[in-house]
Amino acid sequence: MTASLLQTELTRTLGCRYPIVQTAMGWVADANLVSATTQAGGFGFLAAAVMSTPTLREQIALVRERCEGPFGVNFHMFQPNAAEVIDTVIAHRDRIRAVSYGRGPDAKTIARFKQAGILCMPTVGALKHAQKAVELGADLITVQGGEGGGHTGSVPTTLLLPQVLDAVKVPVVAAGGFHSGRGLAGALAFGAAGIAMGTRFLMTAESPVPRATLQRYLDVRDAAHIRASTALDGMPQRMIDNEFLLRLERGGLPSRLLVALRSAWSWRRQTGMSMSHMLKTFVGAIREGDSAIQTMMAANAPVIIQRAMVDGRPDEGVLPSGQVAAVIDALPPVAELIASIVAEAEHCLSRLQTTPIPNIPTIATPTRSARTA
């Protein structure tokens, strides 16, 4: 009976065994992590938003080679190779089941994915963004509460999730603070179709993050030290406190803009972005409502995160993280992690089914006339 409870609209739609999604963390969600997740029965997203087109093609080939089953790709429309990413994803539609995004494609691009049989699964942190995403054609929605890592909102999962569930008619995946089977059981009880986890997958044996950086995640024991700050790119982003972040916050706006300009130039060299594309991206972001300063600061994120997540220099970069890192003290293999979450969720659901519900006296609700008398 409990096994059937773990077969949800998410598993039926995405074609995975368990309603557990591995999110697309930049520099972290590579072919090794995605294939391990897929092989263990979850659904993984490749982080194409920080990949060149040749790298993405190599990573897709590796996932196809290492595991069976569908997987996903994450991207955003402001990356210089967005059009090539879209074409590449559609070319692999026999295995790529879904795309995820934040500030994502327009209705025309979403229609292209849907015509190819690829599901659109944006991540949102506010009710209005969920509603807008569905209007544009989203097939599923990932709702991330304020506890989540990276760019995040201010509303906690327990408040945001039921709001979105009441407002949209597509399957909803819960994210922000999840790391265990109890969390999965709780999300299903809310009405979600499953859970999505980033930090928990970052902290696994298959994570590509260098050990020196992973140790910083293991060392943090107080969730208050995993804060949302606007110092990196002008938008709230949850990160583990470290000296670099504190220095960025103390430096003030002129110092941050200088760092941003250096980062933008470095990112341009890495991606081959042309000056015209940089200008087009800048103008496009402003039209969407970003201030000029915030748009300039957005160049910080990929390069500075790369220092910690790829180069293994946690003191020279930032550490995006959900608050859940404070309660994680081990780096298990992905297969072991998913198996333990599934077993605990089944146990919780089974206990709920077999535990008798006590007779609770009914409290009569007074009529309107009685309340106003």
Side-chain angles (χ1 to χ4, degrees), residues 288-358:
E288 286 210 357
D290 290 352
S291 69
I293 291 175
Q294 180 177 309
T295 304
M296 292 176 66
M297 290 171 64
N300 269 339
V303 174
I304 295 177
I305 293 172
Q306 184 182 27
R307 292 176 193 166
M309 298 300 176
V310 179
D311 301 338
R313 297 184 288 175
D315 292 327
E316 300 176 29
V318 295
L319 307 168
S321 177
Q323 288 184 305
V324 73
V327 300
I328 296 173
D329 58 7
L331 307 173
V334 166
E336 181 182 312
L337 170 66
I338 290 180
S340 68
I341 290 174
V342 168
E344 186 177 43
E346 289 179 343
H347 174 72
C348 291
L349 294 171
S350 176
R351 189 174 56 190
L352 286 173
Q353 286 181 319
T354 58
T355 302
I357 300 174

Side-chain angles (χ1 to χ4, degrees), residues 125 144-155 176 227-229 235-238:
Q144 178 177 300
E147 306 96 315
H151 291 113
T152 192
S154 58
V155 182
R227 300 181 294 109
S229 172
M235 296 183 289
Q237 185 165 181
R238 191 171 294 284

Side-chain angles (χ1 to χ4, degrees), residues 111 143 366:
V143 174

